Amino acid sequence: MTNIAICAPATPITRDHARALKELVAAEFPQHRVHFHEQCFMQAGHFAGDDLARLTAFVECANDPDFDVVWFAKGGYGSNRIAEAAMVRMNAAARAKTFVGFSDCGYLLAALYKAGVGQCVHGSMPVSARSERGREAVRRVMRWIGGDTSGVEPSLDGTTPAVAFNLITLAMVAGTPMMPDLSGHVVMVEEVSEHLYAVDRLFFHLAGTLPRIAGLRLGAITDVPENYVEFGQSPEEIARYWCDRAGIRYLGRAEIGHTPANRVVPFGLASPPSGS
Amino acid sequence: MTNIAICAPATPITRDHARALKELVAAEFPQHRVHFHEQCFMQAGHFAGDDLARLTAFVECANDPDFDVVWFAKGGYGSNRIAEAAMVRMNAAARAKTFVGFSDCGYLLAALYKAGVGQCVHGSMPVSARSERGREAVRRVMRWIGGDTSGVEPSLDGTTPAVAFNLITLAMVAGTPMMPDLSGHVVMVEEVSEHLYAVDRLFFHLAGTLPRIAGLRLGAITDVPENYVEFGQSPEEIARYWCDRAGIRYLGRAEIGHTPANRVVPFGLASPPSGS
């Protein structure tokens, strides 16, 4: 049995989201148990409860030895506000844990990876369990937690450490005390709902701040809003342009992003957990 | 006579914009001459000509000893792409020059300030000369160039060095080789057309990357798009929150921004140029 705790470090989900995931787990993953922290359903302005509520819930889930996995319920925006304070509270149980999420929750993955706490995993989140296509992305995570690595990003070769981040999230972490050392890593980035000029601007920032990485892979750049003028370069041309300027190897595409095709990327050189 | 060269390191203006500024200068500032580089009217996708065209035009204007001032025509996005290459080409004439602009053109101001080239000035741009309200912001710059400091940001005290930046621009420069040393400076920031969660995210990044500054002033945060939920903090509350967390003194508001009230902020401890 794998016990999975779910909290919402950024924005809230509804009880319908929780019900959909519970039904999926009961029907298809009887070896897993999911426990939704009540904080998932709180609301304080933009956030799933105020900073202290989100911090407390995350620390409770991470530090409880009864849980094997902490799964972040949803991105949005806000996990950056609690990440630094959370790191100094992580106990031995947290260090043995697996943490799964992506998008805005990349702030926590970055901070955990930097602090060497647990196994960080880029993967889809419980919020996706309500739609038919989203469920397949959620299944991929559940299978990986159970030891089935079929949903892992296909370029992972087990010899070069990798990370996956939302582009803005990585750009905002870069240069802060939470930024992990990504030297020698393959860095995968994806983005959603940003203009291409903003994508270009984020690559400019990363080109000027990333350490000596092994290479960059471009995930999906989806829901690009229409602008008053065509940008003039495709997302892949933008990625190549900045990689060329920065002397970073461009390694091609990655199957990550805000899409149902979003694959699992265990940070570093992780093998899948054995389940239990 | 003050000779002002105008180029467009980011996005283009139209000949109507140029005509409007020329008429304003002829009618009210006969001691000034404005020269529009043809590059101002070029277009290549999002940009006012490709990187090489924008770089070449800027370097020509900056390095020409016949010009006293380089005035950036318009922001938008794109000056970051040419800033680093431009710095290594600056000659002695550029070092004696005044550079005026803001918004996206803050990338060039940052790079110039870091390189110690010329006098950098946050100020409104020629693109604003076509509207009645924008003209007053443009007049403020022209007066300052002529030695009339009435349009200078009122908190400038002549004893603490200051800079002014668009919030995204500063966040994207922070950590890159173009970032000037802002230790001991009052840093003023403004933003336009960004969600409050994005403003919060940018403050998170700056709180984690800014050096020991003298304090922060918040300019106008304008045209905030409506979101699906109220953010829950005002722009000033966001600025105070992150200043408190980072141990930065919050000094109050600054009269800068994407508004006709945008004031002139000479970088550092500059006195106005004498005119000639």
Side-chain angles (χ1 to χ4, degrees):
Chain A
M1 165 116 54
T2 307
N3 277 311
I4 303 169
I6 298 171
C7 62
T11 60
I13 56 169
T14 66
R15 295 194 187 271
D16 281 349
H17 289 118
R19 196 172 307 119
L21 184 71
K22 280 180 191 162
E23 286 169 9
L24 178 66
V25 170
E28 303 180 28
F29 298 93
Q31 75 277 32
H32 295 335
R33 291 282 179 283
V34 289
H35 307 260
F36 283 87
H37 196 293
E38 272 300 301
Q39 174 269 328
C40 289
F41 315 111
M42 291 177 68
Q43 178 131 23
H46 183 94
F47 305 111
D50 64 21
D51 292 348
L52 187 58
R54 302 197 315 286
L55 172 66
T56 303
F58 170 64
V59 171
E60 283 173 9
C61 293
N63 285 353
D64 187 336
D66 287 344
F67 294 123
D68 308 294
V69 175
V70 176
W71 200 0
F72 303 126
K74 188 186 174 187
Y77 171 70
S79 76
N80 58 332
R81 284 177 159 234
I82 65 166
E84 239 182 324
M87 289 313 108
V88 297
R89 288 166 173 78
M90 296 291 94
N91 71 6
R95 290 178 187 282
K97 205 149 284 176
T98 297
F99 299 90
V100 188
F102 82 119
S103 193
D104 183 80
C105 294
Y107 292 110
L108 279 170
L109 297 182
L112 290 161
Y113 194 58
K114 156 106 184 193
V117 173
Q119 171 61 51
C120 296
V121 181
H122 164 103
S124 293
M125 296 182 285
V127 67
S128 297
R130 242 176 20 159
S131 79
E132 191 52 56
R133 298 182 67 213
R135 264 195 289 281
E136 191 47 33
V138 169
R139 285 189 189 101
R140 214 171 280 132
V141 170
M142 304 281 274
R143 288 190 202 112
W144 184 85
I145 289 172
D148 170 356
T149 60
S150 60
V152 161
E153 207 286 328
S155 72
L156 293 176
D157 62 5
T159 62
T160 312
V163 291
F165 283 105
N166 171 261
L167 188 54
I168 283 190
T169 302
L170 183 59
M172 293 292 104
V173 169
T176 74
M178 281 191 248
M179 180 70 170
D181 182 2
L182 299 182
S183 306
H185 285 62
V186 171
V187 177
M188 306 183 191
V189 291
E190 58 81 28
E191 192 50 273
V192 62
S193 302
E194 293 291 335
H195 287 287
L196 289 185
Y197 70 80
V199 169
D200 193 80
R201 190 163 58 189
L202 292 163
F203 270 109
F204 154 76
H205 182 66
L206 288 177
T209 54
L210 269 189
R212 295 265 149 227
I213 62 173
L216 183 132
R217 282 188 179 274
L218 182 66
I221 305 291
T222 48
D223 292 340
V224 175
E226 208 169 325
N227 204 0
Y228 70 96
V229 61
E230 287 284 326
F231 184 69
Q233 288 187 302
S234 71
E236 189 159 13
E237 286 169 339
I238 291 169
R240 286 181 184 276
Y241 171 92
W242 286 107
C243 282
D244 283 351
R245 283 187 55 153
I248 293 170
R249 282 171 66 207
Y250 178 72
L251 301 171
R253 302 305 297 252
E255 292 186 21
I256 61 163
H258 281 69
T259 80
N262 187 35
R263 299 290 197 108
V264 174
V265 181
F267 279 25
L269 279 172
S271 56
S274 61
S276 53
Chain B
M1 165 117 52
T2 306
N3 276 310
I4 303 169
I6 298 170
C7 61
T11 60
I13 56 170
T14 65
R15 295 195 188 271
D16 281 348
H17 289 118
R19 197 172 307 120
L21 184 71
K22 280 181 189 163
E23 286 170 8
L24 178 67
V25 170
E28 301 181 30
F29 298 93
Q31 76 277 30
H32 294 336
R33 292 282 179 282
V34 289
H35 306 261
F36 284 86
H37 196 293
E38 272 300 301
Q39 174 269 329
C40 290
F41 314 111
M42 290 176 69
Q43 177 128 27
H46 184 94
F47 305 110
D50 63 22
D51 292 349
L52 187 58
R54 303 197 314 285
L55 173 65
T56 303
F58 170 64
V59 171
E60 283 174 7
C61 292
N63 285 352
D64 186 337
D66 287 345
F67 294 123
D68 308 294
V69 176
V70 175
W71 200 0
F72 302 127
K74 188 185 174 187
Y77 171 70
S79 75
N80 59 333
R81 283 178 160 233
I82 65 166
E84 240 183 322
M87 289 313 109
V88 297
R89 288 169 172 76
M90 298 289 95
N91 70 7
R95 291 178 186 281
K97 205 152 285 177
T98 297
F99 299 90
V100 187
F102 83 118
S103 194
D104 183 79
C105 295
Y107 293 110
L108 278 170
L109 298 182
L112 289 161
Y113 194 55
K114 156 105 182 193
V117 172
Q119 171 60 52
C120 296
V121 181
H122 164 102
S124 294
M125 296 182 284
V127 68
S128 297
R130 244 177 16 163
S131 79
E132 190 53 54
R133 297 181 67 212
R135 263 194 290 281
E136 191 48 33
V138 169
R139 285 188 189 101
R140 216 173 276 131
V141 169
M142 303 282 273
R143 288 190 201 111
W144 185 84
I145 289 172
D148 171 356
T149 61
S150 60
V152 163
E153 208 284 330
S155 73
L156 293 176
D157 62 5
T159 63
T160 311
V163 292
F165 283 105
N166 171 262
L167 188 55
I168 284 190
T169 303
L170 183 59
M172 293 292 105
V173 169
T176 74
M178 280 191 250
M179 181 68 170
D181 182 2
L182 300 182
S183 305
H185 285 63
V186 172
V187 176
M188 308 183 189
V189 291
E190 56 82 28
E191 194 48 273
V192 62
S193 302
E194 294 290 335
H195 287 287
L196 288 185
Y197 70 79
V199 169
D200 193 79
R201 189 163 60 188
L202 292 164
F203 270 109
F204 154 76
H205 183 66
L206 287 177
T209 54
L210 268 189
R212 294 267 147 226
I213 63 173
L216 183 132
R217 281 188 179 274
L218 182 66
I221 305 291
T222 49
D223 293 340
V224 175
E226 209 169 325
N227 204 1
Y228 71 96
V229 61
E230 286 284 325
F231 183 70
Q233 287 187 302
S234 70
E236 189 159 13
E237 285 168 339
I238 292 169
R240 285 181 185 276
Y241 172 92
W242 287 106
C243 282
D244 283 351
R245 284 185 57 152
I248 293 171
R249 285 171 65 207
Y250 178 72
L251 301 171
R253 303 305 298 251
E255 293 186 20
I256 62 164
H258 281 67
T259 79
N262 186 36
R263 298 291 197 107
V264 174
V265 181
F267 280 26
L269 280 171
S271 56
S274 62
S276 55

